[in-house]
């Protein structure tokens, strides 16, 4: 039974990594590629590390496997965010089907400064609004 679980974890991990590589090749822009590779590859590595921990069943190897899983969970989303943000700042083209670009009103391409959502809310409150319907 344990061999079946280990085999399932390894096969599942390999399939998720294959899915990440297909997403990297087939998706239309940087941001969607980053999303696919981060999620699928991280899950693939986690499943394979769980299978390795179950296979060897030694304290040192199990501890290393869980340390690798923790490291992947902490670093993969941060790295994808930083790479995606850098790609946006250098002008990487978004997919033509992108519906909403939330960074555009907050990003100044000349200074490369990004205003927080709180700053834009405060600026909107300071600016007088025209309430006259005419």
């Amino acid at each position: 039974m344990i061999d079946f679980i280990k085999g399932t974890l390894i096969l599942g991990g390999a399939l998720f990594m294959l899915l990440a590589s297909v997403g990297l090749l087939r998706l239309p822009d940087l941001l969607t590629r980053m999303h696919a590779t981060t999620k699928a590859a991280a899950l693939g590595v986690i499943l394979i590390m769980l299978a390795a921990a179950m296979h060897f069943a030694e304290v040192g190897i199990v501890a290393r496997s869980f340390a690798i899983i923790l490291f992947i969970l902490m670093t993969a989303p941060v790295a994808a965010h930083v790479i995606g943000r850098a790609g946006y700042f250098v002008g990487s083209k978004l997919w033509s089907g992108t519906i909403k670009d939330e960074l555009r009103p907050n990003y100044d391409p000349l200074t490369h400064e990004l205003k927080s959502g709180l700053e834009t809310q405060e600026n909107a409150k300071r600016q007088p609004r025209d309430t006259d319907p005419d």
Side-chain angles (χ1 to χ4, degrees), residues 42-84:
L43 184 56
V45 170
I46 289 169
L47 292 176
I48 290 175
M49 285 295 106
L50 288 174
M54 288 178 68
H55 178 73
F56 292 105
E58 295 177 12
V59 175
I61 294 175
V62 171
R64 287 185 194 123
S65 295
F66 282 112
I68 290 169
I69 290 171
L70 184 64
F71 181 76
I72 293 291
L73 287 175
M74 290 184 347
T75 59
V78 174
H81 175 80
V82 170
I83 293 169

Side-chain angles (χ1 to χ4, degrees), residues 82-124:
V82 170
I83 293 169
R85 187 171 170 162
Y88 185 88
F89 288 169
V90 298
S92 175
K93 297 289 183 193
L94 295 178
W95 176 46
S96 61
T98 300
I99 296 171
K100 190 172 188 180
D101 183 3
E102 294 182 357
L103 283 180
R104 182 172 301 199
N106 298 324
Y107 175 62
D108 183 8
L110 298 175
T111 63
H112 296 293
E113 290 182 358
L114 183 64
K115 294 181 258 177
S116 69
L118 184 60
E119 290 174 7
T120 55
Q121 289 174 0
E122 289 174 0
N123 289 340

Side-chain angles (χ1 to χ4, degrees), residues 4-20:
F4 176 75
I5 294 172
K6 290 186 295 189
T8 303
L9 287 172
I10 290 173
L11 186 60
L15 287 175
F16 273 108
M17 287 189 194
L18 177 65
L19 181 65

